[in-house]
Amino acid sequence: MNVPQNRLGLLIVVSGPSGSGKTTLCRKAADAGEAIFSVSCTTRAPRAGEVHGRDYFFVSEPEFQDKIKAGELFEYAHVHGRWYGTLKSFVIDNLKRGVDVFLDIDVQGAAQVRAHDDELLRRCHLDIFILPPSVEELRNRLAGRGTEDAAAFELRMTNAIAEMEHWPEYDYALVSSTREEDERRFRAILTAERMRSGLWR
Ligand code: 5GP
């Protein structure tokens, strides 16, 4: 009888509309050593304070298309008029080493990850949808950011509402309340998932 000693990493896919708090949740959990954050490539411009290689790899449209052609992307999608994609080698290498990885990606990307027919992913994968407490609260949170012009703001609101329809496809639905409570419930999911027997060898 062998007591399980080693496990694969968890692939923790987190989606939710902009303003749901998902990026903050993932970042804080990553800072606390819960998992490492997969840094995506994007063709959108950096926002104030964003750092290349920490928040995103900011690339040109041709560079992004080259990555698709070279098969370097694990998943990718066109979101709010820009391309976003996850680097395959980073994700797979870490899962095999037993390191848990966060993917903060949209619903199209999450669907692509779910559809991968792969033994490793079947064992490692879970997904969580973060919902705002209400559409009104989402509007307030997004307006408070003030990072976009009016047209971009309305596009984000329309996309957010459409994106929220997808929560039933996810393993977990976390309806945001206070920041502390969200963090507590998020950590509770990770704690339980790490004990899933299929993850251990
Ligand atoms: P933002 O521009 O606000 O950073 O992100 C916009 C949206 O793109 C968010 O829903 C975010 O989760 C999503 N996103 C970020 N990186 C990726 C990625 O690599 N793949 C996909 N499919 N979506 C991403």
Side-chain angles (χ1 to χ4, degrees), residues 61-176:
E61 182 95 25
E63 284 170 332
F64 196 93
Q65 294 304 328
D66 285 346
K67 287 186 188 304
I68 296 176
K69 282 194 209 113
E72 288 175 31
L73 299 182
F74 186 49
E75 61 72 39
Y76 59 92
H78 205 231
V79 190
H80 312 313
R82 301 288 177 199
W83 287 104
Y84 293 82
T86 303
L87 291 165
K88 189 187 283 174
S89 56
F90 178 88
V91 171
I92 302 296
D93 292 352
N94 279 298
L95 295 179
K96 287 185 176 163
R97 287 171 43 222
V99 177
D100 301 335
V101 180
F102 285 129
L103 296 193
D104 169 354
I105 62 176
D106 86 314
V107 294
Q108 305 169 72
Q112 287 173 41
V113 175
R114 224 178 277 131
H116 272 296
D117 185 18
D118 182 279
E119 157 75 10
L120 177 74
L121 292 183
R122 258 197 302 281
R123 293 174 65 186
C124 299
H125 172 261
L126 75 133
D127 50 22
I128 309 173
F129 197 93
I130 316 288
L131 288 134
S134 65
V135 173
E136 292 68 39
E137 175 59 19
L138 182 69
R139 185 169 272 281
N140 293 338
R141 289 186 189 181
L142 277 183
R145 282 188 180 181
T147 50
E148 289 118 346
D149 60 27
F153 176 82
E154 284 310 324
L155 177 63
R156 277 194 181 245
M157 269 312 289
T158 307
N159 288 346
I161 290 164
E163 198 161 27
M164 278 161 63
E165 305 281 345
H166 290 268
W167 71 261
E169 296 157 17
Y170 287 68
D171 297 319
Y172 296 91
L174 195 161
V175 179
S176 172

